[in-house]
Amino acid sequence: METLFTTIEEARRWASLFLKKHHREERVADWLLEHHLDMNYTGLLVYGRDPFPEDKRKLFIKDVEQHAETGIPVQHLTGWAEFYGRRFTVNADVLVPRPETEELVEGVLQLLNHTSRSNLLNIVDLGTGSGAIACTLAIEAENVEVHATDISAEALRLAGQNAENLGAEVIFHQGDFLSPVASLEFDIIVSNPPYISYAEQEELSETVSQFDPHLALFAEDEGLAAYRTIARQIKQSASSPKLIAFEIGHQQGEAVRAIMEEELPVYHIEIRADINGKPRMIFAIAEN
Ligand code: SAM
Ligand code: GLN
């Protein structure tokens, strides 16, 4: 085989160009280099002229080629995704946690930390996937009991593993959103449910549509079905939460507001934008 590169710098250049030619994101080159060389970004720059370690060459090239050819997410190649500064193990059974979901967690934490209290708060994360939201809240928030549900047994297995690895105390339940815990009383309900409409399937990148589980992505009723199900489940449950926080698709703000106003009229609904200025969260706060 021809020598594609000798130094780390040359490996970066080779991989970026190769990915570009295949219409993939060039920065994936850096992420894979960081993973294989166990370095951070600064390391790649500082040690750029060092020879690329021979024993890592084959696997690195294989990962670059596989991503270029199939669009497999980098996180599936490395086996982990970073969320709120921690590593979560991921695989094909769970959605790769997204940066916008970190903002949802941040919003919940801000509200939690603004209320001075001595009482324990009960939180539930519906559709927990990798466990990213539930584990982060369990670690970051003081004096809380965190539950999490998912309909997927495979996802729950991985989420349980993540909780254990991170030392997060989370109680997991299998079932349809709130239903397995309908008899418990929650102060905060948080969820990033599936919200993509089936009509949008064609527009998704391969990295999403071919690799994230469809159970995590798609919902009926133009992507709105889960919000209505959850709102109705809350209405019929033992809970009257102070806060319901949802991640939403950027065009769903008004539609989710309407669902909430219809099903749970005692809440004040706030549509919140993410760091890019797009409406990506709904915070429903109990009026009293
Ligand atoms: N909470 C994780 C995150 O933010 O990265 C995963 C969110 S993913 C968009 C949605 C999750 O909801 C998936 O893990 C999926 O298995 C789960 N799910 C789908 N339908 C469900 C249902 N009816 N009841 C409970 N969980 C469901
Ligand atoms: N944010 C994900 C995406 O854009 C979708 C996650 C979801 O449906 N909740 O692919």
Side-chain angles (χ1 to χ4, degrees):
M1 194 170 85
E2 64 174 312
T3 313
L4 300 169
F5 48 79
T6 311
T7 64
I8 291 174
E9 217 165 59
E10 287 166 7
R12 270 187 91 199
R13 211 168 308 130
W14 166 78
S16 306
L17 266 176
F18 188 83
L19 291 165
K20 192 174 173 189
K21 260 196 275 175
H22 284 79
H23 311 288
R24 303 287 176 197
E25 284 185 58
E26 288 172 65
R27 59 193 174 141
V28 165
D30 290 341
W31 295 342
L32 285 175
L33 274 173
E34 287 168 34
H35 174 69
H36 283 282
L37 302 179
D38 196 17
M39 278 181 184
N40 59 20
Y41 181 69
T42 312
L44 297 184
L45 302 182
V46 172
Y47 300 107
R49 294 199 183 147
D50 283 12
F52 190 94
E54 267 323 303
D55 58 330
K56 308 213 158 133
R57 173 183 290 271
K58 235 176 146 172
L59 268 181
F60 172 66
I61 294 175
K62 188 170 141 249
D63 279 356
V64 172
E65 288 178 344
Q66 209 189 333
H67 178 75
E69 281 156 21
T70 68
I72 185 174
V74 187
Q75 294 88 345
H76 284 193
L77 293 169
T78 62
W80 58 270
E82 189 173 308
F83 187 86
Y84 218 89
R86 298 184 181 86
R87 280 188 180 197
F88 285 79
T89 300
V90 293
N91 62 23
D93 294 327
V94 299
L95 183 97
V96 172
R98 309 286 208 264
E100 49 268 35
T101 309
E102 295 178 323
E103 295 191 55
L104 179 73
V105 169
E106 180 60 27
V108 173
L109 284 171
Q110 267 177 19
L111 283 179
L112 270 173
N113 295 338
H114 276 181
T115 37
S116 66
R117 62 181 165 91
S118 52
N119 58 319
L120 183 83
L121 288 186
N122 276 329
I123 304 182
V124 66
D125 168 25
L126 308 177
T128 196
S130 63
I133 297 175
C135 293
T136 305
L137 289 175
I139 296 168
E140 296 285 335
E142 301 271 323
N143 209 6
V144 292
E145 181 172 301
V146 180
H147 294 251
T149 74
D150 207 290
I151 199 140
S152 156
E154 292 78 20
L156 284 173
R157 201 170 310 128
L158 195 71
Q161 208 176 303
N162 278 322
E164 198 177 322
N165 292 345
L166 296 166
E169 274 187 50
V170 178
I171 305 154
F172 294 98
H173 313 259
Q174 190 180 3
D176 184 28
F177 297 120
L178 190 65
S179 65
V181 287
S183 60
L184 302 181
E185 287 180 38
F186 292 104
D187 302 291
I188 298 177
I189 294 182
V190 53
S191 183
N192 170 22
Y195 55 68
I196 301 175
S197 70
Y198 288 97
E200 284 169 294
Q201 188 162 0
E202 297 295 306
E203 294 156 36
L204 296 176
S205 84
E206 263 178 327
T207 299
V208 176
S209 67
Q210 305 291 312
F211 296 96
D212 280 315
H214 285 189
L215 187 59
L217 297 176
F218 300 110
E220 298 287 351
D221 190 14
E222 295 177 347
L224 297 166
Y227 301 109
R228 192 175 292 279
T229 302
I230 293 170
R232 288 189 176 155
Q233 288 178 340
I234 294 172
K235 198 158 67 173
Q236 286 160 13
S237 74
S239 294
S240 31
K242 296 177 183 70
L243 169 68
I244 304 164
F246 285 137
E247 181 172 317
I248 57 170
H250 66 96
Q251 291 171 320
Q252 292 175 321
E254 290 308 326
V256 179
R257 180 205 290 280
I259 290 172
M260 296 298 281
E261 285 176 349
E262 191 186 327
E263 303 289 344
L264 297 163
V266 296
Y267 286 83
H268 170 76
I269 309 294
E270 203 181 300
I271 302 174
R272 291 197 183 179
D274 68 6
I275 198 168
N276 301 312
K278 289 194 173 173
R280 292 305 305 272
M281 290 160 270
I282 289 260
F283 278 66
I285 298 166
E287 285 174 345
N288 49 24

